[in-house]
Amino acid sequence: MPSPDQNAPPLRRRGARMRSAVLAATVDVLTAQGLAGTTVGAVARAAGVHETSVYRRWGSRENLILEALTEQLDAAMPVPDTGRVRDDLATYFGALARLLATAQGEALLRLSVERDDTLPDRRLPYWTERLERGAVMVRRGVERGELAPDTDPGLVIEAISGALFTRALISGAPLDEHLATRLVDLTLTGALPRTPGGP
Amino acid sequence: MPSPDQNAPPLRRRGARMRSAVLAATVDVLTAQGLAGTTVGAVARAAGVHETSVYRRWGSRENLILEALTEQLDAAMPVPDTGRVRDDLATYFGALARLLATAQGEALLRLSVERDDTLPDRRLPYWTERLERGAVMVRRGVERGELAPDTDPGLVIEAISGALFTRALISGAPLDEHLATRLVDLTLTGALPRTPGGP
């Protein structure tokens, strides 16, 4: 993510430059101050813009943080396309496990759990969009004949990511890439005994 | 759960009777007032005991709520033993899906996400204990030869429950028993194509 241009005078940045400066400042403030310290005022000061410009564009602190972290998340988690569904999923969810072990990753997740007047309407479309990013990998596996034709792509993604989210958010149990791979293998292979000579 | 004896004078209840009266009052207050309204003072008034007695026994509001909701949770989710792992898991996680769709179930989950000085130490042992309750069903399936001998019982439980927790807490997507059954079938059967003549 480009860092804000320190030499540009406040209020002179517009449109895309203002947007990227504010989003980068949001991530910086989140990393330094945590979720509670990430106010619109603190972000505006760090980005060198007026607070009112931030409110005009994003409407609320929650929308601002959600957009900043989503950009980070999608940049940190490109959707791989190796031609093998198991490798794609292990790479993708290995990256998620690493991300959730960071302060920024956990902040994104905690923000999604917070409730306020602006968020309930946005949570479901937001997560539906994230889920769809992952489901693409499973759908390709079905098309290649690697997975059963009646596979529910979203359900596979929910089973793997749900266990990772739960560790980050609820149990506090450790997160690592090995765990991600084991979850991928469980959802692909299942826990039933393998047929001799079968997969 | 027994309701508190309305006729007992305050302070006369001791030990097990005091405990069950306070825990029942905690659930009542949670249901009526939500998590934010469930203070030690409100619970003590509802149970007819002194606030100091509650602090002496539970130490903090969080410990009190966690214990009250855990009793409810474990009572609402008996561990079935039908002799078939798929039926056991579908029954158990169907009950969890129903519970998470209630205000009390969601309150338990949200409490587990809240952070304060008393909780970090307790989250992991608390969730490890809950996970172990579920893992017993999978372990029995392995012993009966229904599941592969190298099955990780905890991982199966995490994959199923994690997806349910994520819907309740993060995405807000609908929760029902059918979803629980689909998750059970995915983790048991896997998404790979079934071998002809295989399971």
Side-chain angles (χ1 to χ4, degrees):
Chain A
M1 191 165 288
S3 59
D5 180 351
Q6 302 296 341
N7 299 318
L11 291 182
R12 296 291 291 279
R13 294 198 213 100
R14 290 276 181 274
R17 290 188 66 200
M18 187 272 229
R19 176 176 177 276
S20 71
V22 171
L23 293 182
T26 305
V27 171
D28 290 345
V29 174
L30 266 174
T31 306
Q33 312 285 341
L35 196 52
T38 307
T39 61
V40 169
V43 170
R45 274 190 301 280
V49 301
H50 274 296
E51 218 175 303
T52 47
S53 312
V54 177
Y55 277 113
R56 203 178 305 127
R57 180 159 192 140
W58 282 275
S60 75
R61 169 184 175 270
E62 285 74 18
N63 290 344
L64 172 64
I65 297 177
L66 204 56
E67 188 171 328
L69 289 176
T70 302
E71 282 226 342
Q72 278 252 315
L73 178 73
D74 291 348
M77 294 185 58
V79 177
D81 189 6
T82 63
R84 292 175 51 117
V85 65
R86 196 244 181 202
D87 294 344
D88 285 356
L89 292 173
T91 301
Y92 188 76
F93 286 107
L96 179 60
R98 280 197 306 277
L99 188 76
L100 289 176
T102 68
Q104 284 172 21
E106 208 195 308
L108 173 60
L109 204 54
R110 286 195 178 274
L111 187 78
S112 307
V113 175
E114 285 185 7
R115 288 272 181 93
D116 74 21
D117 289 345
T118 72
L119 280 181
D121 294 333
R122 297 172 51 97
R123 285 195 311 164
L124 190 53
Y126 172 78
W127 283 101
T128 303
E129 201 184 307
R130 300 277 87 61
L131 198 63
E132 183 47 37
R133 271 175 70 87
V136 165
M137 293 177 283
V138 180
R139 211 168 280 125
R140 286 198 210 112
V142 173
E143 283 159 12
R144 285 191 298 260
E146 288 185 275
L147 301 180
D150 62 352
T151 302
D152 180 336
L155 200 68
V156 172
I157 302 303
E158 285 189 88
I160 303 169
S161 62
L164 298 176
F165 291 149
T166 300
R167 287 205 179 192
L169 209 50
I170 301 182
S171 76
L175 274 167
D176 56 43
E177 288 178 62
H178 180 58
L179 172 71
T181 305
R182 286 162 59 219
L183 283 162
V184 169
D185 286 338
L186 174 65
T187 55
L188 296 188
T189 310
L192 294 179
R194 261 70 73 196
T195 317
Chain B
M1 191 167 291
S3 60
D5 181 351
Q6 301 297 339
N7 298 320
L11 291 182
R12 296 290 290 280
R13 294 198 212 101
R14 291 276 181 272
R17 290 188 67 199
M18 189 272 229
R19 176 175 177 274
S20 71
V22 170
L23 293 181
T26 305
V27 171
D28 289 346
V29 175
L30 267 173
T31 308
Q33 312 285 342
L35 198 51
T38 307
T39 61
V40 169
V43 169
R45 273 190 302 280
V49 302
H50 273 298
E51 219 175 304
T52 48
S53 313
V54 177
Y55 277 113
R56 204 176 304 128
R57 179 159 193 141
W58 282 277
S60 77
R61 167 184 176 270
E62 286 74 17
N63 291 344
L64 171 66
I65 298 177
L66 204 56
E67 187 172 329
L69 289 175
T70 302
E71 283 226 341
Q72 278 252 314
L73 179 72
D74 291 348
M77 293 185 60
V79 177
D81 188 6
T82 63
R84 292 175 52 116
V85 66
R86 194 244 182 202
D87 294 344
D88 284 356
L89 292 173
T91 301
Y92 187 76
F93 287 107
L96 179 60
R98 280 197 307 275
L99 188 76
L100 289 175
T102 67
Q104 284 172 20
E106 209 194 305
L108 173 60
L109 204 53
R110 286 196 177 275
L111 186 77
S112 307
V113 175
E114 284 185 8
R115 288 270 183 95
D116 73 24
D117 289 343
T118 72
L119 280 182
D121 293 335
R122 296 173 51 96
R123 287 195 311 163
L124 189 53
Y126 172 78
W127 284 101
T128 303
E129 199 185 308
R130 299 277 88 60
L131 200 63
E132 182 49 37
R133 273 174 70 86
V136 166
M137 293 177 284
V138 180
R139 210 166 282 127
R140 285 197 211 113
V142 173
E143 283 160 13
R144 284 190 298 259
E146 288 186 276
L147 302 179
D150 62 350
T151 301
D152 180 335
L155 200 69
V156 171
I157 302 302
E158 284 189 271
I160 304 169
S161 61
L164 298 176
F165 291 149
T166 300
R167 286 203 179 195
L169 208 51
I170 301 181
S171 75
L175 273 167
D176 56 43
E177 288 176 64
H178 180 57
L179 172 70
T181 305
R182 286 163 59 221
L183 284 162
V184 169
D185 286 338
L186 175 64
T187 54
L188 296 188
T189 311
L192 294 179
R194 262 68 74 195
T195 317

